[in-house]
Protein backbone atom coordinates (compact mmCIF):
# COMPACT_ATOMS: atom_id res chain seq x y z
CA UNK A 1 0.00 0.00 0.00
CA UNK A 2 1.44 3.36 -1.04
CA UNK A 3 0.35 6.65 0.50
CA UNK A 4 1.30 10.23 -0.38
CA UNK A 5 1.08 13.08 2.11
CA UNK A 6 1.29 16.24 0.01
CA UNK A 7 1.40 20.03 0.24
CA UNK A 8 2.31 20.16 3.94
CA UNK A 9 5.14 21.99 5.70
CA UNK A 10 7.52 19.23 6.79
CA UNK A 11 9.47 19.95 9.98
CA UNK A 12 12.46 17.68 10.44
CA UNK A 13 16.06 17.92 11.69
CA UNK A 14 16.02 21.68 12.13
CA UNK A 15 14.43 22.52 8.79
CA UNK A 16 10.92 23.45 7.65
CA UNK A 17 9.99 23.12 4.00
CA UNK A 18 6.99 22.57 1.78
CA UNK A 19 6.98 19.05 0.45
CA UNK A 20 5.53 15.58 0.16
CA UNK A 21 6.17 12.30 1.94
CA UNK A 22 5.59 8.96 0.23
CA UNK A 23 4.88 5.93 2.40
CA UNK A 24 5.26 2.31 1.35
CA UNK A 25 3.23 0.27 3.84
CA UNK A 26 4.78 0.94 7.27
CA UNK A 27 7.90 2.78 6.03
CA UNK A 28 8.78 6.18 4.66
CA UNK A 29 9.80 5.65 1.04
CA UNK A 30 10.87 9.17 0.15
CA UNK A 31 10.73 12.80 1.24
CA UNK A 32 10.41 15.30 -1.61
CA UNK A 33 10.77 19.07 -1.27
CA UNK A 34 8.62 21.36 -3.38
CA UNK A 35 5.00 22.36 -3.83
CA UNK A 36 4.20 20.10 -6.78
CA UNK A 37 2.85 16.58 -6.27
CA UNK A 38 5.30 13.81 -7.29
CA UNK A 39 4.10 11.60 -10.09
CA UNK A 40 3.17 8.05 -9.29
CA UNK A 41 0.37 5.69 -8.36
CA UNK A 42 -0.91 5.86 -4.79
CA UNK A 43 -3.55 4.00 -2.84
CA UNK A 44 -4.18 6.94 -0.51
CA UNK A 45 -3.77 10.70 -0.84
CA UNK A 46 -3.53 12.85 2.28
CA UNK A 47 -3.89 16.57 1.57
CA UNK A 48 -1.81 18.41 4.21
CA UNK A 49 -2.33 21.88 2.76
CA UNK A 50 -2.00 24.46 5.52
CA UNK A 51 -0.67 21.85 7.97
CA UNK A 52 2.62 20.99 9.62
CA UNK A 53 3.83 17.43 9.11
CA UNK A 54 6.30 16.22 11.75
CA UNK A 55 7.54 12.95 13.23
CA UNK A 56 5.18 11.35 15.69
CA UNK A 57 5.83 12.46 19.26
CA UNK A 58 7.80 10.04 21.45
CA UNK A 59 6.69 10.51 25.05
CA UNK A 60 9.49 8.94 27.09
CA UNK A 61 7.75 9.29 30.46
CA UNK A 62 4.21 8.06 31.11
CA UNK A 63 2.39 6.12 33.81
CA UNK A 64 -0.46 4.19 32.17
CA UNK A 65 -1.28 2.43 35.48
CA UNK A 66 -1.63 -1.12 34.18
CA UNK A 67 -1.47 -3.64 35.79
CA UNK A 68 -3.09 -3.20 39.18
CA UNK A 69 -4.20 0.45 39.09
CA UNK A 70 -6.68 0.25 36.24
CA UNK A 71 -9.43 2.11 38.09
CA UNK A 72 -7.28 5.18 37.32
CA UNK A 73 -6.19 4.34 33.75
CA UNK A 74 -5.14 1.47 31.51
CA UNK A 75 -3.02 0.92 28.44
CA UNK A 76 -5.99 0.98 26.06
CA UNK A 77 -7.50 4.23 27.32
CA UNK A 78 -4.24 6.13 27.70
CA UNK A 79 -2.78 4.99 24.37
CA UNK A 80 -6.02 6.22 22.78
CA UNK A 81 -5.43 9.59 24.47
CA UNK A 82 -1.86 9.50 23.14
CA UNK A 83 -3.08 8.94 19.57
CA UNK A 84 -5.51 11.85 19.89
CA UNK A 85 -2.56 13.97 20.98
CA UNK A 86 -0.18 13.10 18.14
CA UNK A 87 1.92 10.73 20.27
CA UNK A 88 2.93 7.64 18.31
CA UNK A 89 5.26 6.06 20.90
CA UNK A 90 5.32 5.95 24.70
CA UNK A 91 7.71 4.58 27.32
CA UNK A 92 5.79 3.48 30.41
CA UNK A 93 7.13 3.56 33.97
CA UNK A 94 7.41 0.55 36.32
CA UNK A 95 5.55 1.72 39.46
CA UNK A 96 2.42 -0.35 38.89
CA UNK A 97 0.95 -3.19 41.01
CA UNK A 98 2.92 -5.37 40.93
CA UNK A 99 5.90 -3.15 40.14
CA UNK A 100 7.83 -4.03 36.99
CA UNK A 101 10.90 -5.22 38.86
CA UNK A 102 11.39 -8.80 37.66
CA UNK A 103 11.94 -10.15 34.14
CA UNK A 104 8.64 -12.04 34.38
CA UNK A 105 6.70 -8.89 35.27
CA UNK A 106 8.39 -6.98 32.46
CA UNK A 107 7.50 -9.67 29.90
CA UNK A 108 3.91 -9.68 31.17
CA UNK A 109 3.73 -5.94 30.63
CA UNK A 110 5.09 -6.31 27.10
CA UNK A 111 2.28 -8.77 26.42
CA UNK A 112 -0.26 -6.25 27.69
CA UNK A 113 1.18 -3.65 25.33
CA UNK A 114 0.84 -5.97 22.35
CA UNK A 115 -2.75 -6.74 23.29
CA UNK A 116 -4.00 -3.26 24.16
CA UNK A 117 -1.88 -0.36 22.89
CA UNK A 118 -3.14 1.74 19.99
CA UNK A 119 0.36 3.19 19.45
CA UNK A 120 3.96 1.96 19.78
CA UNK A 121 5.10 1.00 23.25
CA UNK A 122 8.04 0.19 25.49
CA UNK A 123 8.32 -0.39 29.23
CA UNK A 124 11.01 0.67 31.67
CA UNK A 125 12.34 -1.86 34.16
CA UNK A 126 12.29 -0.70 37.77
CA UNK A 127 15.34 -0.76 40.02
CA UNK A 128 15.05 -1.88 43.64
CA UNK A 129 17.49 -2.22 46.51
CA UNK A 130 18.31 -5.79 45.47
CA UNK A 131 17.44 -6.51 41.83
CA UNK A 132 20.42 -5.06 39.91
CA UNK A 133 21.71 -8.59 39.11
CA UNK A 134 18.53 -9.23 37.08
CA UNK A 135 19.29 -6.42 34.60
CA UNK A 136 21.53 -8.69 32.54
CA UNK A 137 18.71 -11.15 31.86
CA UNK A 138 16.64 -8.49 30.07
CA UNK A 139 16.47 -8.10 26.29
CA UNK A 140 18.17 -4.72 25.86
CA UNK A 141 16.87 -4.47 22.27
CA UNK A 142 13.34 -4.09 23.68
CA UNK A 143 14.20 -2.07 26.79
CA UNK A 144 14.27 1.75 26.88
CA UNK A 145 16.17 1.81 30.15
CA UNK A 146 16.14 1.32 33.90
CA UNK A 147 14.02 3.60 36.11
CA UNK A 148 15.38 4.48 39.54
CA UNK A 149 13.40 6.27 42.23
CA UNK A 150 15.99 8.10 44.33
CA UNK A 151 13.07 9.77 46.09
CA UNK A 152 9.84 8.26 47.37
CA UNK A 153 6.86 8.77 45.06
CA UNK A 154 3.78 6.86 43.93
CA UNK A 155 4.49 3.14 44.19
CA UNK A 156 6.97 3.00 47.10
CA UNK A 157 9.97 1.99 44.96
CA UNK A 158 12.52 4.09 46.84
CA UNK A 159 16.16 2.99 46.53
CA UNK A 160 18.22 4.70 49.21
CA UNK A 161 21.06 2.32 50.14
CA UNK A 162 24.49 3.44 48.95
CA UNK A 163 25.56 -0.09 48.06
CA UNK A 164 22.43 -0.65 45.96
CA UNK A 165 22.78 2.70 44.19
CA UNK A 166 26.38 1.97 43.21
CA UNK A 167 25.41 -1.47 41.94
CA UNK A 168 22.55 -0.05 39.85
CA UNK A 169 24.70 2.68 38.30
CA UNK A 170 27.46 0.18 37.59
CA UNK A 171 25.17 -2.39 35.97
CA UNK A 172 23.58 0.25 33.70
CA UNK A 173 27.04 1.42 32.61
CA UNK A 174 28.08 -2.18 31.91
CA UNK A 175 24.97 -2.90 29.84
CA UNK A 176 25.01 0.45 28.05
CA UNK A 177 21.37 1.23 28.86
CA UNK A 178 20.16 4.64 30.08
CA UNK A 179 19.32 5.11 33.74
CA UNK A 180 16.38 7.46 34.26
CA UNK A 181 16.12 8.86 37.77
CA UNK A 182 13.44 10.46 39.91
CA UNK A 183 15.54 12.75 42.09
CA UNK A 184 14.20 14.02 45.42
CA UNK A 185 15.85 13.55 48.82
CA UNK A 186 13.33 11.69 50.96
CA UNK A 187 15.00 12.65 54.25
CA UNK A 188 14.66 16.35 53.49
CA UNK A 189 11.05 15.87 52.37
CA UNK A 190 10.12 13.94 55.51
CA UNK A 191 11.61 16.60 57.77
CA UNK A 192 9.79 19.35 55.84
CA UNK A 193 6.50 17.44 56.12
CA UNK A 194 6.93 16.95 59.88
CA UNK A 195 7.46 20.69 60.35
CA UNK A 196 4.46 21.55 58.15
CA UNK A 197 2.18 19.14 60.01
CA UNK A 198 3.32 20.53 63.35
CA UNK A 199 2.44 24.03 62.18
CA UNK A 200 -0.66 23.41 60.03
CA UNK A 201 -2.18 20.05 60.95
CA UNK A 202 -2.21 16.57 59.46
CA UNK A 203 -2.95 17.70 55.88
CA UNK A 204 -1.14 21.00 55.17
CA UNK A 205 -2.62 23.22 52.49
CA UNK A 206 -1.63 22.34 48.93
CA UNK A 207 0.15 25.68 48.55
CA UNK A 208 2.87 24.30 50.85
CA UNK A 209 3.69 21.40 48.51
CA UNK A 210 6.71 23.13 46.88
CA UNK A 211 8.15 23.98 50.28
CA UNK A 212 7.79 20.38 51.46
CA UNK A 213 9.06 18.70 48.28
CA UNK A 214 11.53 21.54 48.09
CA UNK A 215 14.23 22.91 45.83
CA UNK A 216 16.82 21.65 48.32
CA UNK A 217 15.39 18.11 48.17
CA UNK A 218 15.60 18.09 44.37
CA UNK A 219 19.08 19.58 44.17
CA UNK A 220 20.58 17.25 46.80
CA UNK A 221 19.30 14.14 45.03
CA UNK A 222 20.14 15.31 41.49
CA UNK A 223 23.66 16.23 42.64
CA UNK A 224 24.13 12.72 44.03
CA UNK A 225 22.82 11.21 40.80
CA UNK A 226 25.33 13.16 38.74
CA UNK A 227 28.17 12.23 41.11
CA UNK A 228 27.32 8.52 40.82
CA UNK A 229 26.95 8.70 37.03
CA UNK A 230 30.34 10.36 36.67
CA UNK A 231 31.95 7.77 38.94
CA UNK A 232 30.54 4.82 36.99
CA UNK A 233 30.36 6.25 33.46
CA UNK A 234 26.59 5.76 33.39
CA UNK A 235 24.30 7.37 30.83
CA UNK A 236 22.07 9.32 33.22
CA UNK A 237 18.77 10.96 32.29
CA UNK A 238 17.30 13.04 35.14
CA UNK A 239 13.52 13.03 34.94
CA UNK A 240 11.23 16.03 35.44
CA UNK A 241 13.78 18.66 36.45
CA UNK A 242 11.81 21.32 38.32
CA UNK A 243 14.32 23.90 39.57
CA UNK A 244 16.66 26.45 38.06
CA UNK A 245 19.52 25.31 40.27
CA UNK A 246 19.42 21.74 38.95
CA UNK A 247 19.95 22.97 35.41
CA UNK A 248 23.52 23.92 36.32
CA UNK A 249 24.25 20.20 36.82
CA UNK A 250 23.66 19.58 33.12
CA UNK A 251 26.16 20.31 30.35
CA UNK A 252 25.29 23.08 27.93
CA UNK A 253 23.57 21.13 25.18
CA UNK A 254 25.56 21.95 22.07
CA UNK A 255 24.34 18.71 20.50
CA UNK A 256 20.69 19.06 21.51
CA UNK A 257 19.71 20.48 18.13
CA UNK A 258 22.00 18.47 15.86
CA UNK A 259 22.66 14.81 15.17
CA UNK A 260 25.96 14.58 17.05
CA UNK A 261 26.35 12.55 20.22
CA UNK A 262 24.26 13.67 23.16
CA UNK A 263 25.99 14.30 26.50
CA UNK A 264 26.27 11.35 28.87
CA UNK A 265 24.21 13.25 31.46
CA UNK A 266 20.92 14.71 30.23
CA UNK A 267 17.74 16.19 31.66
CA UNK A 268 14.02 16.09 30.94
CA UNK A 269 11.42 18.80 31.48
CA UNK A 270 7.76 17.85 31.78
CA UNK A 271 4.57 19.73 31.05
CA UNK A 272 3.63 20.46 34.66
CA UNK A 273 6.78 22.46 35.34
CA UNK A 274 6.73 24.20 31.95
CA UNK A 275 3.10 25.33 32.18
CA UNK A 276 2.34 26.04 35.84
CA UNK A 277 3.83 27.92 38.81
CA UNK A 278 3.19 27.90 42.54
CA UNK A 279 0.75 30.78 42.01
CA UNK A 280 -1.57 28.32 40.26
CA UNK A 281 -2.18 26.32 43.45
CA UNK A 282 -4.63 29.05 44.48
CA UNK A 283 -7.03 28.20 41.66
CA UNK A 284 -6.11 24.70 40.46
CA UNK A 285 -5.41 23.33 43.94
CA UNK A 286 -4.34 19.66 44.03
CA UNK A 287 -5.13 19.17 40.34
CA UNK A 288 -1.55 20.33 39.71
CA UNK A 289 -0.01 18.40 42.61
CA UNK A 290 2.83 16.27 41.28
CA UNK A 291 6.23 15.01 42.37
CA UNK A 292 8.52 16.92 42.10
CA UNK A 293 6.27 19.84 42.97
CA UNK A 294 5.41 22.71 40.65
CA UNK A 295 7.64 25.51 41.88
CA UNK A 296 8.22 29.23 41.35
CA UNK A 297 7.76 31.46 38.32
CA UNK A 298 11.54 31.92 38.30
CA UNK A 299 12.03 28.16 38.05
CA UNK A 300 9.51 27.92 35.21
CA UNK A 301 11.24 30.73 33.36
CA UNK A 302 14.61 29.01 33.74
CA UNK A 303 13.20 25.72 32.44
CA UNK A 304 11.62 27.43 29.44
CA UNK A 305 14.89 29.18 28.63
CA UNK A 306 16.67 25.83 28.91
CA UNK A 307 14.46 24.41 26.15
CA UNK A 308 15.82 26.80 23.56
CA UNK A 309 19.25 27.01 25.22
CA UNK A 310 19.91 23.29 24.87
CA UNK A 311 20.32 22.25 28.51
CA UNK A 312 17.06 20.29 28.44
CA UNK A 313 17.25 17.32 26.07
CA UNK A 314 13.68 15.97 26.07
CA UNK A 315 10.15 17.10 26.84
CA UNK A 316 8.00 14.40 28.44
CA UNK A 317 4.65 14.48 30.14
CA UNK A 318 4.96 12.38 33.30
CA UNK A 319 1.36 11.51 32.39
CA UNK A 320 -0.02 10.10 35.66
CA UNK A 321 -3.82 9.82 35.90
CA UNK A 322 -5.78 9.53 39.13
CA UNK A 323 -9.48 9.45 39.74
CA UNK A 324 -10.73 12.90 40.63
CA UNK A 325 -11.66 11.74 44.14
CA UNK A 326 -7.99 10.90 44.74
CA UNK A 327 -7.01 14.51 43.99
CA UNK A 328 -8.93 16.00 46.91
CA UNK A 329 -7.09 17.31 49.96
CA UNK A 330 -3.76 18.92 50.65
CA UNK A 331 -0.08 17.99 50.73
CA UNK A 332 -0.52 14.76 52.67
CA UNK A 333 -3.80 13.38 51.31
CA UNK A 334 -4.16 14.38 47.66
CA UNK A 335 -2.54 12.03 45.14
CA UNK A 336 0.35 13.35 43.05
CA UNK A 337 0.18 13.26 39.28
CA UNK A 338 -1.96 14.48 36.41
CA UNK A 339 -3.03 13.32 32.93
CA UNK A 340 -1.14 15.24 30.21
CA UNK A 341 -0.40 13.01 27.20
CA UNK A 342 -3.37 14.02 25.04
CA UNK A 343 -2.68 17.75 25.19
CA UNK A 344 1.12 17.87 25.45
CA UNK A 345 1.78 18.69 21.80
CA UNK A 346 -0.86 21.41 21.50
CA UNK A 347 0.38 22.91 24.79
CA UNK A 348 3.95 23.07 23.54
CA UNK A 349 2.78 24.49 20.21
CA UNK A 350 1.16 27.28 22.21
CA UNK A 351 4.61 27.99 23.71
CA UNK A 352 5.95 28.12 20.15
CA UNK A 353 3.35 30.78 19.36
CA UNK A 354 4.49 32.67 22.48
CA UNK A 355 8.11 32.63 21.30
CA UNK A 356 9.43 30.33 24.04
CA UNK A 357 10.99 28.00 21.46
CA UNK A 358 10.82 27.44 17.72
CA UNK A 359 8.81 24.79 15.95
CA UNK A 360 12.04 23.14 14.84
CA UNK A 361 13.32 23.03 18.44
CA UNK A 362 10.04 21.50 19.61
CA UNK A 363 10.50 18.65 17.12
CA UNK A 364 14.02 18.01 18.39
CA UNK A 365 12.83 17.94 22.01
CA UNK A 366 9.68 15.84 21.55
CA UNK A 367 10.60 13.58 18.62
CA UNK A 368 14.26 13.45 17.59
CA UNK A 369 16.00 13.58 20.96
CA UNK A 370 13.97 10.87 22.70
CA UNK A 371 14.83 8.60 19.75
CA UNK A 372 18.51 9.54 19.95
CA UNK A 373 18.85 9.36 23.72
CA UNK A 374 17.29 5.91 24.02
CA UNK A 375 18.73 4.56 20.73
CA UNK A 376 15.31 3.94 19.20
CA UNK A 377 15.58 1.96 15.98
CA UNK A 378 14.35 3.83 12.90
CA UNK A 379 11.77 6.09 14.48
CA UNK A 380 11.65 9.74 15.49
CA UNK A 381 12.72 11.27 12.17
CA UNK A 382 11.19 11.87 8.74
CA UNK A 383 13.75 9.83 6.82
CA UNK A 384 13.54 7.27 4.00
CA UNK A 385 13.58 3.76 5.42
CA UNK A 386 12.30 4.85 8.83
CA UNK A 387 8.98 3.75 10.27
CA UNK A 388 6.13 5.95 9.11
CA UNK A 389 5.23 7.50 12.48
CA UNK A 390 3.91 10.97 11.63
CA UNK A 391 1.73 13.67 13.14
CA UNK A 392 -0.12 16.30 11.15
CA UNK A 393 -1.14 19.47 13.01
CA UNK A 394 -2.96 22.62 11.94
CA UNK A 395 -3.08 26.11 13.41
CA UNK A 396 -6.51 27.68 13.12
CA UNK A 397 -9.32 29.28 15.08
CA UNK A 398 -9.12 29.05 18.88
CA UNK A 399 -10.85 26.15 20.63
CA UNK A 400 -11.53 25.45 24.29
CA UNK A 401 -10.59 22.23 26.05
CA UNK A 402 -13.76 20.71 27.49
CA UNK A 403 -14.29 17.48 29.40
CA UNK A 404 -16.04 15.92 26.41
CA UNK A 405 -12.73 15.86 24.50
CA UNK A 406 -10.76 14.03 27.18
CA UNK A 407 -9.91 10.43 26.27
CA UNK A 408 -8.04 9.46 29.45
CA UNK A 409 -9.98 7.10 31.68
CA UNK A 410 -9.98 9.59 34.57
CA UNK A 411 -11.91 12.14 32.43
CA UNK A 412 -10.33 15.30 33.85
CA UNK A 413 -7.43 17.56 32.96
CA UNK A 414 -5.71 20.46 34.76
CA UNK A 415 -5.91 22.22 31.39
CA UNK A 416 -9.72 22.14 31.13
CA UNK A 417 -11.02 25.55 30.12
CA UNK A 418 -7.79 26.51 28.39
CA UNK A 419 -7.73 27.84 24.85
CA UNK A 420 -5.57 26.49 22.02
CA UNK A 421 -5.08 27.39 18.38
CA UNK A 422 -3.37 24.18 17.24
CA UNK A 423 -5.17 20.89 16.59
CA UNK A 424 -3.90 17.40 15.88
CA UNK A 425 -5.45 16.57 12.52
CA UNK A 426 -4.00 13.11 11.96
CA UNK A 427 -1.78 10.60 13.75
CA UNK A 428 -0.09 7.99 11.59
CA UNK A 429 1.50 5.01 13.33
CA UNK A 430 3.57 2.56 11.24
CA UNK A 431 1.96 3.95 8.10
CA UNK A 432 -1.56 3.46 9.48
CA UNK A 433 -3.90 6.35 10.30
CA UNK A 434 -4.87 5.57 13.88
CA UNK A 435 -6.51 8.97 14.49
CA UNK A 436 -7.96 11.52 12.08
CA UNK A 437 -10.21 14.54 12.61
CA UNK A 438 -11.74 13.32 15.85
CA UNK A 439 -12.08 9.63 14.95
CA UNK A 440 -10.04 6.64 16.17
CA UNK A 441 -9.38 3.33 14.50
CA UNK A 442 -10.09 1.39 17.68
CA UNK A 443 -8.96 -1.90 16.14
CA UNK A 444 -5.38 -0.82 15.41
CA UNK A 445 -2.51 -1.94 17.64
CA UNK A 446 0.97 -0.44 17.72
CA UNK A 447 4.31 -2.21 17.75
CA UNK A 448 6.93 -2.92 20.38
CA UNK A 449 9.76 -0.40 19.99
CA UNK A 450 13.20 -1.75 19.15
CA UNK A 451 16.43 -0.23 20.47
CA UNK A 452 19.84 -0.38 18.80
CA UNK A 453 22.26 -1.66 21.43
Amino acid sequence: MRTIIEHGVIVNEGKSFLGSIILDNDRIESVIAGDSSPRGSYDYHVDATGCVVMPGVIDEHVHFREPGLTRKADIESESRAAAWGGVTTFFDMPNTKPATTSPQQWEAKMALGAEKSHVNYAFFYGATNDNAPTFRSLDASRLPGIKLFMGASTGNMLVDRAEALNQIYGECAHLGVPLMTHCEDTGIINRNMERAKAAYGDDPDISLHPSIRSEEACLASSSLAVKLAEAHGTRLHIAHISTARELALLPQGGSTFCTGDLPRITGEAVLAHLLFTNNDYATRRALIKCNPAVKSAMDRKALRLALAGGRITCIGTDHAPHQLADKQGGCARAASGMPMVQFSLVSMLRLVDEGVLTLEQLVWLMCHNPARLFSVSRRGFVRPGFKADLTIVRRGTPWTLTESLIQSKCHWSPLTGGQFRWRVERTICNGHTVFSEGKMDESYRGEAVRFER
Side-chain angles (χ1 to χ4, degrees), residues 30-302:
S30 57
V31 182
I32 302 165
D35 58 0
S36 59
S37 297
R39 294 179 180 179
S41 176
Y42 307 103
D43 300 288
Y44 294 99
H45 288 254
V46 177
D47 184 1
T49 301
C51 295
V52 166
V53 185
M54 56 183 278
V57 172
I58 299 175
D59 191 340
E60 32 80 88
H61 189 167
V62 305
H63 300 263
F64 281 1
R65 304 302 195 197
E66 192 169 3
L69 300 167
T70 53
R71 67 182 179 87
K72 301 173 184 284
D74 57 52
I75 291 171
E76 188 283 322
S77 64
E78 306 316 291
S79 67
R80 176 165 20 94
W84 274 66
V87 176
T88 56
T89 298
F90 66 84
F91 301 165
D92 186 64
M93 294 296 152
N95 50 334
T96 48
K97 288 187 177 180
T100 314
T101 54
S102 75
Q104 296 77 19
Q105 289 157 348
W106 181 70
E107 290 288 357
K109 216 168 184 185
M110 291 291 289
L112 284 172
E115 177 188 352
K116 296 187 174 185
S117 182
H118 294 294
V119 297
N120 305 315
Y121 55 90
F123 299 98
F124 274 87
Y125 189 80
T128 70
N129 273 314
D130 56 11
N131 76 344
T134 67
F135 296 176
R136 299 191 187 197
S137 64
L138 302 169
D139 180 357
S141 72
R142 298 188 296 153
L143 178 73
I146 304 297
K147 178 65 181 288
L148 169 63
F149 287 88
M150 293 177 66
S153 188
T154 304
N156 193 29
M157 289 179 60
L158 173 65
V159 178
D160 56 359
R161 288 177 9 210
E163 180 182 357
L165 288 170
N166 277 290
Q167 191 174 17
I168 290 163
Y169 275 81
E171 281 295 312
C172 288
H174 174 79
L175 295 171
V177 298
L179 178 65
M180 189 169 183
T181 54
H182 177 129
C183 289
E184 292 182 285
D185 188 292
T186 300
I188 294 174
I189 292 169
N190 289 344
R191 290 190 291 274
N192 290 341
M193 180 64 87
E194 288 173 9
R195 285 192 290 267
K197 285 185 173 181
Y200 302 105
D202 288 343
D203 191 26
D205 187 78
I206 194 62
S207 62
L208 297 171
H209 190 52
S211 63
I212 294 171
R213 301 190 83 103
S214 62
E215 174 189 68
E216 290 76 16
C218 295
L219 182 62
S221 185
S222 294
S223 298
L224 175 59
V226 169
K227 180 180 177 181
L228 288 166
E230 289 175 339
H232 290 280
T234 310
R235 178 171 287 283
L236 171 67
H237 189 49
I238 303 176
H240 40 49
I241 288 175
S242 62
T243 72
R245 292 176 68 189
E246 287 174 281
L247 291 169
L249 298 172
L250 304 175
Q252 188 66 38
S255 57
T256 300
F257 303 128
C258 67
T259 53
D261 291 338
L262 288 169
R264 186 169 293 278
I265 296 170
T266 55
E268 170 205 57
V270 300
L271 270 287
H273 306 120
L274 293 170
L275 299 182
F276 303 121
T277 75
N278 58 341
N279 295 326
D280 293 309
Y281 290 115
T283 55
R284 300 179 192 269
R285 305 301 293 161
L287 293 185
I288 62 166
K289 183 178 184 242
C290 58
N291 302 335
V294 169
K295 297 187 175 64
S296 72
M298 182 196 73
D299 289 309
R300 184 181 70 173
K301 181 179 179 180

Side-chain angles (χ1 to χ4, degrees), residues 252-428:
Q252 188 66 38
S255 57
T256 300
F257 303 128
C258 67
T259 53
D261 291 338
L262 288 169
R264 186 169 293 278
I265 296 170
T266 55
E268 170 205 57
V270 300
L271 270 287
H273 306 120
L274 293 170
L275 299 182
F276 303 121
T277 75
N278 58 341
N279 295 326
D280 293 309
Y281 290 115
T283 55
R284 300 179 192 269
R285 305 301 293 161
L287 293 185
I288 62 166
K289 183 178 184 242
C290 58
N291 302 335
V294 169
K295 297 187 175 64
S296 72
M298 182 196 73
D299 289 309
R300 184 181 70 173
K301 181 179 179 180
L303 289 169
R304 288 182 171 190
L305 289 172
L307 298 179
R311 273 217 156 98
I312 292 296
T313 299
C314 300
I315 297 171
T317 61
D318 196 9
H319 175 85
H322 293 282
Q323 289 181 315
L324 199 54
D326 298 332
K327 295 293 288 181
Q328 307 309 306
C331 294
R333 291 179 187 162
S336 294
M338 62 190 86
M340 299 298 278
V341 71
Q342 183 177 347
F343 306 108
S344 61
L345 179 55
V346 295
S347 295
M348 293 310 302
L349 285 165
R350 185 166 63 185
L351 294 192
V352 169
D353 286 345
E354 293 172 7
V356 173
L357 73 169
T358 68
L359 185 55
E360 294 79 9
Q361 289 169 336
L362 179 151
V363 170
W364 280 107
L365 293 163
M366 299 187 80
C367 311
H368 301 334
N369 285 350
R372 297 166 66 207
L373 176 62
F374 294 97
S375 303
V376 173
S377 179
R378 293 188 170 268
R379 299 187 192 274
F381 293 84
V382 183
R383 292 177 180 170
F386 274 52
K387 286 283 190 173
D389 293 343
L390 301 165
T391 297
I392 301 176
V393 294
R394 183 190 300 274
R395 189 177 189 277
T397 56
W399 58 277
T400 301
L401 198 166
T402 61
E403 288 184 2
S404 64
L405 296 172
I406 297 170
Q407 300 300 304
S408 288
K409 193 173 187 177
C410 65
H411 295 300
W412 65 272
S413 168
L415 301 170
T416 298
Q419 280 207 329
F420 302 86
R421 294 193 71 100
W422 290 86
R423 290 180 183 270
V424 176
E425 294 275 303
R426 184 182 294 257
T427 304
I428 299 172

Side-chain angles (χ1 to χ4, degrees), residues 426-444:
R426 184 182 294 257
T427 304
I428 299 172
C429 193
N430 306 303
H432 184 92
T433 294
V434 65
F435 169 81
S436 178
E437 297 178 352
K439 295 180 181 179
M440 273 287 296
D441 181 348
E442 298 283 353
S443 66
Y444 183 75

